């Protein structure tokens, strides 16, 4: 297990999808010195407008939150316009990277259902391009962390299917490019991230309702953007090649989240039905994976299916993980716990930019 306080010290960090919610939070925390002083951080994304806004926000130090005292980023942060779909645009960025966090993704479930080939191009081919570039050019990248989702487990939608394939491509990358460690983190919904339900609920409440629910029984895992970055860092610090790191997370009924946000206001709720590709409950570890799961600190580590990547053909770790499927309906918290969780992260406020600055930590 590496020392978390020096994980990024002297390292060159590449964040694909770096202008997304997770990418910006990772950038902010990396610049804070929490994990050491990186030599360089490259923000790689295809949206030049978002890169411009992020660059300006860095210069102005407009959103110093969570006690983050930004380091002097002169010469540290590098912005590159490119797309993981293009091997040619990826290669120059990978040549200058020690650690890669692949946060580039098409993640909206309905969009992926309507445009499945686009989801495959980013979520599957993008990951394959990273492995191919490192393998074919023998790049000295130390670690690649793939960002996955609970929807990749027993997938019923294109987004989950494409993320499940990304996981397998990165696991196999350890055999194709053994000089690099490829690992995965898999987690559930990120509170108030771009496109998530909490900003939608707040907007619907501001508009006077109704608040729309797809299903009264729907449950989801919940964590913050800062928590998500911490999981990534835990994987960098302690994951073995091909392992999937899974956090133990609270989960809640989406209907309870809506009730907490509405409070005592006269806002109606309306059930509209499940959207294309949605599940009622999400799963982080399937029953088939339980035999390969063990506790690693506060996380579950799922050993790779490929025997070449497992020590003695057995699961690494001495602490048993779980003995059954780990689902969002397994340990659901009640409304008061949801209220405390949202309040602790400033998410009860309707002003998500001011009240939940971790959603937009830099821009």
């Amino acid at each position: 297990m590496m020392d978390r306080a020096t994980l990024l010290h002297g390292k060159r960090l590449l964040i694909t999808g770096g202008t997304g919610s997770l990418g910006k939070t990772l950038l902010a925390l990396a610049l804070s010195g929490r994990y050491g002083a990186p030599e360089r951080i490259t923000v790689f994304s295809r949206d030049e407008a978002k890169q411009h806004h992020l660059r300006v926000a860095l210069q102005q130090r407009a959103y110093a939150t969570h006690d983050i005292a930004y380091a002097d980023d002169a010469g540290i942060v590098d912005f590159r316009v490119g797309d993981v779909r293009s091997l040619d645009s990826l290669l120059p960025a990978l040549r200058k990277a020690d650690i890669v966090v692949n946060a580039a993704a098409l993640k909206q479930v309905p969009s992926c259902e309507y445009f499945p080939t686009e989801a495959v191009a980013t979520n599957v081919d993008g990951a394959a391009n990273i492995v191919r570039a490192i393998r074919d050019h023998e790049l000295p990248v130390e670690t690649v962390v793939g960002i996955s989702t609970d929807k990749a487990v027993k997938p019923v939608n294109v987004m989950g299917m494409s993320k499940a394939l990304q996981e397998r491509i990165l696991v196999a990358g350890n055999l194709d490019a053994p000089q690099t460690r490829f690992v995965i983190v898999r987690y559930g919904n990120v509170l108030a991230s771009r496109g998530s339900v909490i900003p939608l609920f707040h907007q619907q409440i501001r508009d006077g309702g109704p608040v729309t629910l797809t299903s009264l029984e729907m449950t989801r895992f919940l964590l913050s953007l800062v928590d998500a970055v911490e999981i990534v860092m835990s994987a960098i610090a302690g994951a073995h090649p091909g392992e999937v790191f899974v956090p133990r997370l609270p989960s809640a009924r989406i209907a309870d989240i809506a009730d907490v946000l509405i409070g005592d206001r006269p806002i109606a709720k309306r059930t509209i039905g499940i959207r294309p590709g949605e599940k009622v409950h999400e799963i982080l570890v399937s029953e088939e994976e339980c035999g390969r799961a063990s506790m690693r600190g506060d996380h579950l580590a799922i050993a790779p299916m490929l025997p070449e990547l497992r020590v003695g053909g057995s699961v690494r770790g001495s602490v048993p993980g779980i003995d059954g499927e780990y689902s969002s309906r397994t340990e659901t918290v009640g409304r008061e716990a949801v209220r405390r969780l949202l309040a602790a992260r400033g998410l009860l406020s309707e002003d998500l930019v001011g009240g939940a600055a971790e959603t937009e930590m830099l821009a």
Side-chain angles (χ1 to χ4, degrees):
M1 179 73 70
M2 304 178 199
D3 181 2
R4 293 172 66 86
T6 59
L7 272 180
L8 301 181
H9 193 75
K11 300 296 184 182
R12 299 168 300 173
L13 172 65
L14 169 63
I15 310 170
T16 67
T19 53
S21 299
L22 176 65
K24 288 189 292 186
T25 306
L26 175 54
L27 173 63
L29 295 178
L31 286 174
S32 75
R34 181 182 296 202
Y35 311 111
E39 177 183 318
R40 178 171 292 276
I41 304 172
T42 300
V43 176
F44 181 94
S45 75
R46 61 183 180 178
D47 193 323
E48 49 118 6
K50 290 178 183 176
Q51 287 195 15
H52 170 73
H53 292 309
L54 184 53
R55 184 185 293 109
V56 170
L58 274 174
Q59 292 168 349
Q60 296 177 344
R61 305 293 193 269
Y63 297 95
T65 61
H66 295 283
D67 298 321
I68 291 175
Y70 290 112
D72 178 9
D73 62 276
I76 295 177
V77 182
D78 178 31
F79 291 89
R80 292 191 66 95
V81 175
D83 196 331
V84 293
R85 300 179 178 196
S86 168
L87 191 62
D88 289 338
S89 67
L90 257 179
L91 187 55
L94 287 168
R95 287 189 187 278
K96 300 177 180 179
D98 299 309
I99 298 172
V100 178
V101 177
N102 183 32
L106 264 64
K107 64 177 185 177
Q108 295 302 315
V109 170
S111 296
C112 292
E113 289 301 308
Y114 283 106
F115 305 101
T117 56
E118 297 299 315
V120 169
T122 297
N123 299 349
V124 179
D125 296 341
N129 281 337
I130 292 173
V131 174
R132 186 177 300 118
I134 293 172
R135 179 197 65 200
D136 293 352
H137 298 271
E138 299 182 345
L139 302 181
V141 176
E142 297 171 7
T143 301
V144 174
V145 182
I147 307 299
S148 191
T149 168
D150 46 15
K151 294 171 180 61
V153 184
K154 293 184 176 179
V156 299
N157 51 55
V158 172
M159 192 275 210
M161 294 171 188
S162 62
K163 283 290 191 175
L165 283 172
Q166 176 191 262
E167 288 188 7
R168 299 302 174 89
I169 287 168
L170 293 178
V171 168
N174 289 283
L175 301 179
D176 289 341
Q179 77 275 16
T180 301
R181 177 180 55 138
F182 295 87
V183 298
I184 298 106
V185 296
R186 183 196 289 167
Y187 51 74
N189 285 24
V190 175
L191 293 170
S193 63
R194 185 180 296 124
S196 68
V197 73
I198 290 180
L200 172 63
F201 283 169
H202 275 304
Q203 183 62 53
Q204 291 176 334
I205 291 168
R206 281 195 296 270
D207 293 342
V211 169
T212 55
L213 301 170
T214 54
S215 166
L216 294 178
E217 301 305 316
M218 184 170 287
T219 60
R220 288 295 182 266
F221 292 105
L222 304 172
L223 79 164
S224 72
L225 282 164
V226 173
D227 293 336
V229 171
E230 285 293 312
I231 297 164
V232 172
M233 291 301 158
S234 294
I236 294 173
H240 299 294
E243 283 187 332
V244 178
F245 257 39
V246 176
R248 298 303 298 257
L249 297 173
S251 58
R253 292 173 65 242
I254 298 298
D256 286 340
I257 294 174
D259 286 339
V260 167
L261 295 180
I262 292 171
D264 57 4
R265 286 171 286 198
I267 302 292
K269 293 182 294 183
R270 181 162 60 94
T271 302
I272 60 175
I274 293 177
R275 299 178 300 171
E278 276 192 320
K279 289 182 181 180
V280 175
H281 307 289
E282 295 289 6
I283 306 166
L284 274 174
V285 183
S286 69
E287 60 264 50
E288 289 85 4
E289 293 175 316
C290 291
R292 294 186 279 118
S294 60
M295 288 302 300
R296 187 79 50 76
D298 296 330
H299 302 87
L300 286 161
I302 304 174
M305 187 178 295
L306 301 179
E308 296 88 346
L309 297 176
R310 293 165 63 180
V311 175
S314 62
V315 176
R316 296 182 174 96
S318 58
V319 182
I322 52 177
D323 55 10
E325 180 180 274
Y326 181 28
S327 164
S328 60
R329 63 178 167 183
T330 304
E331 300 172 359
T332 306
V333 300
R335 290 185 191 175
E336 192 52 43
V338 170
R339 186 186 311 278
R340 290 195 300 269
L341 189 151
L342 297 183
R345 291 163 172 81
L347 297 176
L348 291 180
S349 168
E350 291 184 22
D351 181 9
L352 277 181
V353 175
E358 70 181 14
T359 307
E360 299 291 346
M361 296 186 71
L362 292 171

